[in-house]
């Protein structure tokens, strides 16, 4: 991108997503000016220390004044309060978007506050790590990842094109989807896996017959894979569970149904059934690797001290 | 290790574990001679092409003749047949061990065939990747990993010390445990995670409202982590499920109980309960990293094409 496409971009929230956006916007000169706002003074100070923006505000309304793009990067449950707060400061013609993992509830929460002369387009960059906060961000977080936008009927085409170009400049590919379908897709590919991971780590933590130190010691045999998702930001995931409830409960019901069948196959020693499932699932990983969505390196490419696999 | 500690080591089975053992034995000069046996001619030929051993046999009995250490590296369900087959060929004073993920059932299956003048000590190196076969092995697989030995009462101290030294020479730390406790520990740290991973990948594969290509496309948001375990060897995992049934069913029952409680918290919008669980599980990952059992790198250290994190 040769010329900044936005004059002033306001980031509301400067955690993993916000701080990664700040970094990639700087690297790719996407914005002339980056304005950062977060409620916590300590986090705001840290963002300034890291040089993530050009101006810093605790008050989100002040931060959005004169911005032509506002990106709300806060947990889903905080989106309504932010929308209410920024509404009076929004410039006519500005684009407001977000980065939340749930779209239906966010649109419902934010939309009523957004003035008619402002373009609101909800979005979700499908990217992240298990770390949070302004230090956790990095410029390549969005590279080769998908960003889903869920514009409502009647959304201004030019605004949508501009927001699409923004995410492409950040390295992502953009997909347009309706909010309800997004929430269903994410319930299975993201919300269910996180909930299951949180649950299994909790189960292991509660055992009295196997000590916690044994769980940690022998975790390389499978368990540790789950601990990564279960180390994700608790506030973000509480909010996801509370706001995408219907889709999540539907996926949980299917998962439990399948698990009961699997449990029954184990109890009755139905080896063929087990073998069939275990063979079928193997194919999916291969397809994922072929689609460029996963590393083919064993153990995710985890390195030991000598830079060899197996750690 | 300056001098080979075994004159002749026979590997029965030359998959991920067997071929990794062959490689590390060569690198560390642990054995004067490595003898390899596997039922499949194609696999045996491949092992020879890779130069993994000194002699190659399809007949396991011939392979163990004159060996002072025999390591059975086949799926747990094949252990009994192997024991029966090798028994007449075993040299007096030899040590026979295995590498299976279940110990109670393996001891029960193999022990009756092992002659009294041979030392049988069951074992389990807690190491692996999602790949299988002779090409998948590498010399550092066992480095900084635990190997659990489950000797029965009356096991010869010298034989146990010799087998311990063997695994230490391969790079592992050895832990002695009784077989029943091993099977309980592994049920939670390894068997349950694999079963849950197989199940969730199966659930996602079965949906009619979300397409398989959507699952693959957006898998970086959590789902892909599970596909690694769900890509593990189907024969091995069928056998684990069939032979460690009681402990696995116990762990599955606890997991399901906890999941029902979590599901209820989601249904009733109990944010505090969700937040508490999600906070508690975060601690465990930190402890795992501190214990040297996991990489601190975001996303397991997965690399993108430019060698940066985030892929």
């Amino acid at each position: 991108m040769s010329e900044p496409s936005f004059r002033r971009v306001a980031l509301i929230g400067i955690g993993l997503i916000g701080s990664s956006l700040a970094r990639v916007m700087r690297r790719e000169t996407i914005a002339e000016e980056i304005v950062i706002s977060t409620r916590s003074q300590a986090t705001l100070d840290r963002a300034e220390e890291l040089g993530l923006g050009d101006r810093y505000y605790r008050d989100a309304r002040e931060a959005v004044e004169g911005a032509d793009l506002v990106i709300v990067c806060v947990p889903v449950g905080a989106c309504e309060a932010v929308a209410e707060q920024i509404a009076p400061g929004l410039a006519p013609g500005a684009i407001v978007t977000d980065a939340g993992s749930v779209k239906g509830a966010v649109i419902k929460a934010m939309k009523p506050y957004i003035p008619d002369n402002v373009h609101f387009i909800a979005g979700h960059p499908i990217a992240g790590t298990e770390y949070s906060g302004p230090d956790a961000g990095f410029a390549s977080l969005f590279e080769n990842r998908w960003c889903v936008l869920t514009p409502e009927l009647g959304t201004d085409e030019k605004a949508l094109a501009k927001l699409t170009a923004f995410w492409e400049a950040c390295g992502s590919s953009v997909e347009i989807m309706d909010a309800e379908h997004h929430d269903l897709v994410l319930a299975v590919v993201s919300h269910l896996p996180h909930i299951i991971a949180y649950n299994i780590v909790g189960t292991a933590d509660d055992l009295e017959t196997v000590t916690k130190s044994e769980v940690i010691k022998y975790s390389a045999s499978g368990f540790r894979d789950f601990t990564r998702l279960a180390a994700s930001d608790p506030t973000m995931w509480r909010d996801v569970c509370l706001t995408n409830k219907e889709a999540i409960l539907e996926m949980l019901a299917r998962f439990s149904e399948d698990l009961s069948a699997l449990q029954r196959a184990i109890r009755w020693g139905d080896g063929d059934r087990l073998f069939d499932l275990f063979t079928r699932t193997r194919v999916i990983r291969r397809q994922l690797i072929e689609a460029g969505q996963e590393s083919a390196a064993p153990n995710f490419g985890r390195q030991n001290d000598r830079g060899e696999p197996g750690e």
Side-chain angles (χ1 to χ4, degrees), chain A residues 100-115:
Chain A
S101 305
V102 178
K103 297 274 61 76
V106 164
I107 294 171
K108 213 171 144 192
M110 293 185 74
K111 193 73 195 298
Y113 298 97
I114 309 295

Side-chain angles (χ1 to χ4, degrees), chain A residues 53-74:
Chain A
D54 300 300
R55 285 187 296 124
Y56 303 87
Y57 295 96
R58 287 191 63 190
D59 185 338
R61 192 188 57 72
E62 285 182 60
V64 303
E65 276 172 12
D68 41 357
L69 176 62
V70 175
I71 312 177
V72 178
C73 315
V74 301

Side-chain angles (χ1 to χ4, degrees), chain A residues 31 59 93 126-127 138 155-157 192 200 223 229 240 272 288 296:
Chain A
D59 185 338
I126 317 271
F138 49 96
T155 295
D156 182 74
E157 289 295 332
L192 180 64
I200 196 172
F223 179 73
L229 294 183
V240 166
D272 290 345
L288 229 103

Side-chain angles (χ1 to χ4, degrees), chain A residues 19 57 98 114 120 124 132 172 182 187 222 237 241 266 284 296:
Chain A
S19 71
Y57 295 96
D98 77 309
I114 309 295
F120 176 64
H124 179 202
S132 1
S172 295
H182 166 277
W237 284 97
C241 289
I266 292 171
I284 295 177

Side-chain angles (χ1 to χ4, degrees), chain A residues 133-307:
Chain A
D135 285 278
F138 49 96
S140 63
L141 179 63
F142 308 105
E143 233 159 70
N144 301 316
R145 299 265 72 91
W146 293 96
C147 178
V148 177
L149 299 179
T150 59
E152 295 195 284
L153 274 177
T155 295
D156 182 74
E157 289 295 332
K158 272 192 197 152
L160 181 58
K162 231 181 148 192
L163 186 58
T164 299
F166 170 82
W167 280 109
E168 287 171 354
C170 294
S172 295
S173 300
V174 171
E175 194 75 15
I176 307 293
M177 214 182 266
D178 77 71
E180 197 185 347
H181 190 64
H182 166 277
D183 290 353
L184 201 63
V185 172
L186 268 289
V188 62
V189 296
S190 178
H191 307 170
L192 180 64
H194 277 81
I195 289 164
I196 295 305
Y198 279 123
N199 193 68
I200 196 172
V201 175
T203 301
D205 192 35
D206 279 342
L207 293 174
E208 65 292 333
T209 47
V210 176
T211 67
K212 197 187 288 190
S213 75
E214 285 175 321
V215 169
I216 290 168
K217 203 162 161 180
Y218 304 116
S219 61
S221 52
F223 179 73
R224 65 173 172 173
D225 282 18
F226 291 74
T227 61
R228 188 182 84 78
L229 294 183
S232 302
D233 186 48
T235 306
M236 170 183 163
W237 284 97
R238 176 200 60 197
D239 288 359
V240 166
C241 289
L242 296 176
T243 55
N244 197 24
K245 186 159 92 171
E246 295 311 321
I248 288 173
L249 289 175
E250 160 72 15
M251 293 306 165
L252 271 173
R254 282 167 178 266
F255 173 87
S256 296
E257 224 171 273
D258 293 344
L259 191 61
S260 294
L262 182 47
Q263 195 167 336
R264 196 171 189 283
I266 292 171
R267 190 178 300 281
W268 292 96
D270 187 347
D272 290 345
R273 194 186 175 120
L274 297 172
F275 188 83
D276 285 350
L277 171 65
F278 299 172
T279 304
R280 182 155 67 93
T281 54
R282 199 173 211 187
V283 177
I284 295 177
R285 177 143 183 106
R286 210 157 46 226
Q287 292 170 334
L288 229 103
I289 292 169
E290 282 162 11
Q293 291 298 320
E294 177 60 293
S295 160
N299 264 323
F300 305 117
R302 280 176 176 119
Q303 303 280 307
N304 68 12
D305 296 342
R306 307 214 308 241

